[in-house]
Amino acid sequence: MKTLLIGLVGLTLLWPSRRAEACGSTYIGPVYIHSTHPDRPFEPFAAGRLGVLREGYRPMYLAFAWRSMMGIPTTPDEQRFLVETWARMQGDVPEGDTTRGEARWLAARKEAMPSFGDRPATLHTGEGELVSFNRIQADALERAAESVKVLSLQWKNHPGLVSEWLSAQDAVFGGDCTRLPALDEATAQGLPASVKSRRQAEREYQAAAAHFYCRRFDEALASFRHIAGRADSPYQARAEYLVARTQVRRALMEQPDEGQEIGTSQDATFLARLREADATLTALLAKPKLREFHGPARRLRSLIRVRTQLAAWACELPALVLQPGTGSALASELGDLDLFTLPENTCDSSPASTRELLEWLRVTRSGVATVSAPDTGQENENRKAYDVAVARWKANHRQPWLVTALLKARVGYPDLELLLKAAAEVPVTAPAGLTLAYRAAHLLNEQQEHDAARAWLAKVKPEMTRDLVSTDNLFNEERMVLAQDWEGALSHATWRLVGEDDLDTFSDGVMTPLAERPVTFSVRAVTHLDPQLTARRLGELSRTSLVPPVPRRQLRWTAFARAAVVGDDEALQAAAKELALHEPTAKEELLAIVARKSSEERLFDARLLIMGLPAVSATLVSGRDRIDSIDPKLNLISIRSRERNGWCAPSLPQGPPPPLPFTTAEERKAAAAEWKVLSEAGPSVVYFSNVALDWAKAYPEDPRSPIALYRAVRASQYSCQQDSPEAHAAFRHLHKHYGKSSWARRAPYVY
């Protein structure tokens, strides 16, 4: 006992003695299945690998999914703009971020003229108080980088012109807004006519850009219109687009009441300027020779229309986002779908394809009920949506309607068998394939058609979902509940982290590679498996390699803690021996527990140990948890705010899970008995207090008694049942019978 006591006392020296109050937190926590948008990286989704679609996806993602399921191709260029736009709209990239453009410009500037690498370059990209608006945007910086590369080749025999151009461009990107000097006529002496012409065209374009950035909008418009009329200017086509861009920027910069809701301005001058720009863009879009700028022009037009004719634009957008080959316009027009409530019964004059897409978006997003406590009203809405989706699918047999019907389907709904039969004809590799496979397996499992559900899951090979983490997690849960042995259940009982607070950035804004995402037990694994696991079975499974190291560590400690709580001495000794192999800081104490001569002593020592380890729980815990590392130096002792300490009362709000088909009647009985003991023991604070009191009353001279009472009091800090009657009883007994001990001095109050 002396060795164990010294070890346990040594652990307590690391504990803080000052009081700390529990407090709330706005932290949402880890995310394992995105419900409003696809997983990052967005590249697979943009390429048509949709994964399992969710009913709550934002309209722009669902509209793109409709495109993909309807077979409308998306070019690599369109995909690139989609990924960039979605990353920006989800907050992964700050709005107006120019970091990449600045880096490319500065690198190209130095490469073209090494002496400029040592010359400071003032980049006045921001707009002061207008934090949502950039003076210079990333695309301008990147175009300048491309321009200097081209000019360096064309003017390789005239390095002075390159230097002249760079100096002028530095002035354009700078913030002092001084006017660019006229070109030195002496420099032009002896230059070929083509070089003179290009030099003049470059300076005119730089001067126009300087006017634009410095808000000299009248001069900018005149300059760009002049360039647009010059057939010999390489910027003729771009200048036509920049006329409209100047008109829009002037309107936005002069707009009063910046904080008003988009599309509600009544300012006549503002609206007139935007309509003037709209007319310019309409003329540009009518010219096939300017196709290169149709994408940017449509993006600009979209910005105008949501401010000048929002209701009409809402009815026009769906047809636009279904057009193939629109370049950068696709991302912008899809994004605009998120700016308004989807119109209902107000687009009668729109094409049938527009009305159908709008209806599909509304139906898919309606009636989403929570699984744990479905609201009757939501269920009614869900059933209405199901009926509409089935009717539409029967009428046209389009995959998006089949997908929505299965997303809304519940066991007992009519036509479910017909839908499942149709889903079986869609390859799992199709854009809709994984959604249909997941929902089919889920529904068949709920109908107790387990073999049919397993057949669906067998179609989806692991490599098909490995890089789609939310989808992979969903399929893993289905495989777990349909497993036919403990090994199969445990191997699918984990999921990978998608993000924190609905973001996929984990460290300094950098996304963790997929292979390095933290792996934890899933919620469904905890609710489905934990009540059916005995301490002995937990110990056996912890000695396999069926789960990654971090959840395996949790299995070891949970097996030990559960055995201690339910009183299984044999399972306790086995778990302690296994832990001793992997936990060097606790090895001595664990082996000392095993060496005790009676089961009563072993169980109490084990309970005393877990009282001092808030990171340990007698129940499995889902999500990122206290035991989130395999580092042997991981602190298991500290009590932390905003994190789990000990465990709460085990409960099954939805009733006991269905019995696992591969367990014996004897094992089910044993598991039910252990779960009953766990439930009656209550949360760890209550349990620890009762254990400490019972032992102190039975063995008042045992030096471990005041330690146990102290730990029971301390355990209530940041834990379930904080300030509980049991903790108060332990506190009173500690101070009444051991008031002069160091343990009583360490517990001057109940948390």
Side-chain angles (χ1 to χ4, degrees), residues 10 278 282 327 456 459 464 647 727:
D278 199 335
T282 300
W456 266 102
K459 296 180 181 180
M464 295 175 59
W647 63 89

Side-chain angles (χ1 to χ4, degrees), residues 569 593 595-603:
D569 181 52
I593 291 172
R596 300 292 283 177
K597 294 183 178 179
S598 70
S599 62
E600 181 186 32
E601 290 280 351
R602 283 191 290 272
L603 289 170

Side-chain angles (χ1 to χ4, degrees), residues 523-603:
V523 170
R524 205 165 174 191
V526 169
T527 58
H528 189 75
L529 298 182
D530 199 27
Q532 306 191 66
L533 283 161
T534 61
R536 190 166 306 189
R537 180 65 70 181
L538 279 165
E540 292 172 357
L541 294 174
S542 75
R543 293 189 285 275
T544 71
S545 58
L546 294 172
V547 295
V550 169
R552 199 183 317 160
R553 187 182 202 183
Q554 187 185 147
L555 281 175
R556 295 189 195 106
W557 278 110
T558 303
F560 177 78
R562 183 168 300 187
V565 174
V566 303
D568 188 332
D569 181 52
E570 184 178 339
L572 178 77
Q573 294 185 64
K577 292 175 183 177
E578 180 67 17
L579 277 171
L581 298 174
H582 303 277
E583 304 287 345
T585 58
K587 179 178 179 179
E588 185 177 1
E589 294 151 76
L590 290 164
L591 294 180
I593 291 172
V594 176
R596 300 292 283 177
K597 294 183 178 179
S598 70
S599 62
E600 181 186 32
E601 290 280 351
R602 283 191 290 272
L603 289 170

Side-chain angles (χ1 to χ4, degrees), residues 191-214:
L191 292 177
S194 61
V195 174
K196 289 182 182 180
S197 176
R198 182 61 184 266
R199 178 175 177 247
Q200 181 65 35
E202 291 294 333
R203 177 53 60 91
E204 288 179 352
Y205 185 76
Q206 288 177 320
H211 292 320
F212 177 79
Y213 294 136
C214 292

Side-chain angles (χ1 to χ4, degrees), residues 533-534 665-675:
L533 283 161
T534 61
E666 182 180 358
E667 187 171 9
R668 294 174 195 169
K669 182 178 179 181
E674 286 195 7
W675 192 259

Side-chain angles (χ1 to χ4, degrees), residues 28 45 56 92 96 184 208 252 375 403 444 543 625 653 675 716:
I28 296 173
F45 194 83
D92 299 347
D184 185 357
L252 294 176
D375 176 83
V403 164
L444 288 167
R543 293 189 285 275
D625 192 48
W675 192 259
S716 67

Side-chain angles (χ1 to χ4, degrees), residues 7 26 28 33 51 53 64 121 131 217 368 402 466 587 658:
T26 57
I28 296 173
I33 298 169
L53 295 173
F64 180 77
V131 294
F217 295 121
V368 180
L402 177 61
R466 192 167 289 125
K587 179 178 179 179

Side-chain angles (χ1 to χ4, degrees), residues 3 13 39 43 95 129 150 174 209 212 228 235 239 288 307 346 402 418 433 462 510 560 613 635 705 719 732:
T3 301
L13 296 179
D39 287 354
E43 280 82 357
E95 190 71 33
E129 296 178 358
V150 171
F212 177 79
Y235 298 105
R307 288 164 172 80
T346 57
L402 177 61
L418 181 64
V510 178
F560 177 78
L613 303 177
N635 191 337
S705 293
S719 300
R732 289 193 298 270

